[in-house]
Structure formats: structure tokens, C-alpha cells
Amino acid sequence: MPDPNNLNADHPADDESGQELWTEFEVTPETDKMRIDVLLVSRLATVSRSRINTAIRRGLVWSADRQLKPSDRLVAGSVVRFRIPEPPPSGLVPENVPLDILHEDDWIAVINKPAGMVVHPARGHWAGTLTAALAFHFSQLSGAGGPLRPGIVHRLDRDTSGVILAAKTDQAHAHLTDQFQNRVVEKEYFAIVTPPPGRDRDQIDRPIGVHPYQREKMMIRDDHSSSREAQTFYEVRERMGRFAMVAAFPKTGRTHQIRVHLASIGCPCIADRLYSGRGWIVQSEVTGRIEDTARLLERQALHARRIRFRHPRDGAWVEFEAPLPEDLSGVVALLQQHHGQR
């Protein structure tokens, strides 16, 4: 559950709440026992009722240690802490953000997305997105995903790097979407986990649904309305002390799927803030030297390495691969130096 008293807490990733500031006020005798939704509307004359209701639904209005509901009434002297989501922009603004373009033709573009880049605009992340960069660099993109998501066929988490497709025409978009839905697309991810899995290879077949208390997280949930089937095959490529390099092949494409599945077997990606409990690792965890206090990695060790699919032009199989970025290759090099085969 979010902590309204921790104003410096990490901001959730990807499609989660953004950088709005918490504000507080004290309930006065004049507003004693007024419904909280009515009270906020009366205090915030420049904010629409819908934005206020959205804030309440998102769990962004608190009193003491309690998340408030619209109908809650507070007594005079109570302190209310709240955060109002910023409104979405009226349209996508192209931005000259550099792109690592792995391939481009009249139908598709294949991009090597860096960690830290949000794929499409969402609350708190209206600028610097992949879609804004695509709109700047390409004169034509599919409009099937809507005005804020031109060309977007699938997505990667904000702090997951690697290969991602964009469609240039609606025909290409439909063709690729059909392949994703029918599980024709083959995807391979690279992950560094700790501890190593007990098995060299296995398939994780467990449903994933929304977390009941932490809105930004997903979790393994059986028999819940939000749950959907999810399958991930993994293979250990190299064991290095307390760590392992793993190849993951998701059959389905659920939110945070690989991260949730690996964590569910007790082997989360290192530096995964949501699923390993800490968003960084320090060098001493690899080298064993207590004086090595520098942070080695500050995002989940997950990279979309390879994708294979049928090209929408003629149905021929094509494959593209994104090399490991420097932050992950640096971790690999240090692991090999200290825990590699001798």
C-alpha cells in the first residue's frame, strides 16, 4: 500500500502515478463531517470533479493511515493528504528523442528501446516516450492504436530494455496484432536473477492478476476476475555464485509477466524494485569486497534480446536482436570476472 507520509518514495514504473506533489489541509469546523469528495471539490475550484474522483479511486486521498473513499466524512481537526493526477495532453507531441533503429522498411520499424523510456504516454509520463520519438522520426505510423499510441503494437516495461516493434501502416498493425494474439511471435528475454533457479529449465504456468493492495504490482492469483493465464519457459544459461543468467521465453504477454513468474519461483530479477524488494545492487554483492559500495545496477536486469515473427509484407519469417546495453553487460563482465569458470 502506498505511504502518503513518504513524499520521497520511488515513483511507480511505466503506467503508474507520476510526479504530482502531495498536499495537505486540516478539516475546519465549517466542513465538519462533509463528504470527502464534496469537500475536495469545494476546496479545489480549478480542478474538475472528474479529476478529484479519479484521485480518490486511485487511492491518492488519505487521512492518518487510512485511504479514503468518496463517501467518507471526517471530523474537524482531521488532516487530509492528497495528490491530484495531472490531466492528459490533448494530443501527442513529437519529440526529437534519439532512437536506436535496428530495422526500418515501408511496413515496420524495429527499435532497441533503452531502459527508462516509457513506451506510450500515461499519467505522469507525457514527455520523452517512445511514441513521441516515433512520431518525430517517422512520417507514417499506424493509427490503429489511437492518437496517443501511433505505431504501438506491443509494449515493454519502462525499465526493461530491448527490441520492440512499431507498425507503419494499419495493415501491418493488424497483421502483427493477429500474430501476438495467436502466439505466433517468438520472444526471448535475458535476465539476471538471484538466487539461481533450482532447475536448469522449466515452464512456469501460473495465472497473473492485479495485486489487491499495490496498484502498480501484479501477482500470481488463482480464480480472480483480474487473473489471466500466463506461461513462461526459462532456461539457465550460466550459474555464477549467487546469481544466474537466464533466458526467458514468454508464451503469453501479460503485464510484468517474466518478472512476476521468476519472482514466484523465488528467483527475481536483480534490482527489480517491485518484485525483488530493492531497486539496485551494489558492487560488493558481486565482488565480495565490502569497500565496493558503488551501485552497480539501478533497474531490473531484464532485456528483450530477440524477436521473431512473420513480416506483414509477405509472411516470411524475420528475426531481430538487440545487444545487451552497457549497464547489463557491465554486470555480466563483473560476474564473469569474479564467478566465471576457472
Side-chain angles (χ1 to χ4, degrees):
M1 183 174 294
D3 180 1
N5 296 308
N6 183 2
L7 306 190
N8 295 314
D10 288 344
H11 293 288
D14 302 317
D15 55 342
E16 309 310 327
S17 55
Q19 307 288 336
E20 306 92 351
L21 296 177
W22 288 92
T23 305
E24 67 178 44
F25 67 89
E26 183 175 307
V27 178
T28 64
E30 293 76 18
T31 56
D32 181 62
K33 296 182 180 179
M34 182 182 291
R35 281 176 55 116
I36 189 61
D37 55 353
V38 176
L39 174 56
L40 286 173
V41 169
S42 68
R43 288 186 61 94
L44 306 173
T46 61
V47 180
S48 68
R49 183 183 295 269
S50 64
R51 286 178 62 197
I52 290 173
N53 287 333
T54 296
I56 298 174
R57 289 197 306 271
R58 286 174 53 190
L60 300 179
V61 181
W62 292 66
S63 181
D65 294 326
R66 186 166 64 95
Q67 181 179 314
L68 300 180
K69 302 187 297 293
S71 59
D72 284 338
R73 302 171 186 268
L74 300 178
V75 298
S78 300
V79 175
V80 177
R81 297 174 68 82
F82 67 94
R83 190 153 58 89
I84 303 298
E86 59 184 278
S90 58
L92 183 68
V93 179
E95 297 178 57
N96 186 11
V97 178
L99 286 179
D100 182 4
I101 301 172
L102 300 174
H103 170 81
E104 177 190 1
D105 56 42
D106 291 338
W107 295 73
I108 62 172
V110 185
I111 309 299
N112 182 13
K113 186 188 84 69
M117 174 182 277
V118 176
V119 171
H120 53 72
R123 50 185 175 265
H125 299 288
W126 303 120
T129 63
L130 176 63
T131 49
L134 291 173
F136 180 89
H137 289 279
F138 301 112
S139 58
Q140 180 180 354
L141 291 167
S142 163
L148 292 180
R149 305 185 182 191
I152 298 301
V153 181
H154 65 125
R155 61 181 294 275
L156 295 174
D157 296 336
R158 180 183 67 180
D159 287 330
T160 297
S161 55
V163 63
I164 187 169
L165 304 179
K168 286 191 170 184
T169 69
D170 288 352
Q171 182 180 352
H173 192 286
H175 194 284
L176 294 170
T177 298
D178 183 69
Q179 291 186 64
F180 276 103
Q181 291 177 344
N182 289 290
R183 303 177 184 177
V184 174
V185 179
E186 299 174 11
K187 296 170 287 183
E188 177 185 346
Y189 286 72
F190 168 88
I192 305 174
V193 304
T194 187
R199 299 179 178 181
D200 286 340
R201 58 188 59 83
D202 198 6
Q203 176 157 308
I204 306 170
D205 189 351
R206 303 191 68 186
I208 293 176
V210 298
H211 195 283
Y213 307 117
Q214 295 176 270
R215 187 182 58 83
E216 71 271 22
K217 292 184 67 172
M218 308 297 287
M219 67 178 296
I220 302 297
R221 299 192 76 175
D222 296 299
D223 302 321
H224 188 267
S225 59
S226 70
S227 298
R228 302 175 70 186
E229 62 167 335
Q231 298 92 31
T232 304
F233 178 81
Y234 73 86
E235 186 173 67
V236 177
R237 293 295 168 84
E238 193 168 357
R239 297 175 183 272
M240 295 182 165
R242 297 189 301 109
F243 303 88
M245 289 187 286
V246 171
F249 306 86
K251 188 67 175 177
T252 51
R254 310 307 180 206
T255 300
H256 298 179
Q257 176 175 316
I258 296 172
R259 299 162 64 190
V260 173
H261 270 170
L262 290 175
S264 75
I265 62 171
C267 308
C269 297
I270 62 173
D272 189 333
R273 182 182 61 83
L274 289 180
Y275 300 107
S276 74
R278 190 179 53 168
W280 67 89
I281 64 167
V282 296
Q283 289 187 10
S284 61
E285 295 175 68
V286 174
T287 65
R289 298 190 295 256
I290 60 174
E291 65 270 19
D292 293 340
T293 58
R295 290 191 179 187
L296 182 60
L297 187 69
E298 295 186 282
R299 57 101 169 187
Q300 67 252 15
L302 186 62
H303 175 73
R305 182 197 292 274
R306 182 180 63 86
I307 193 166
R308 184 171 183 263
F309 57 96
R310 291 189 178 275
H311 197 290
R313 177 185 54 235
D314 53 13
W317 283 103
V318 290
E319 181 176 310
F320 301 97
E321 185 169 331
L324 281 184
E326 289 186 5
D327 59 349
L328 294 186
S329 61
V331 177
V332 171
L334 200 63
L335 283 169
Q336 290 175 335
Q337 176 184 344
H338 289 271
H339 302 284
Q341 298 292 330
R342 291 181 172 83

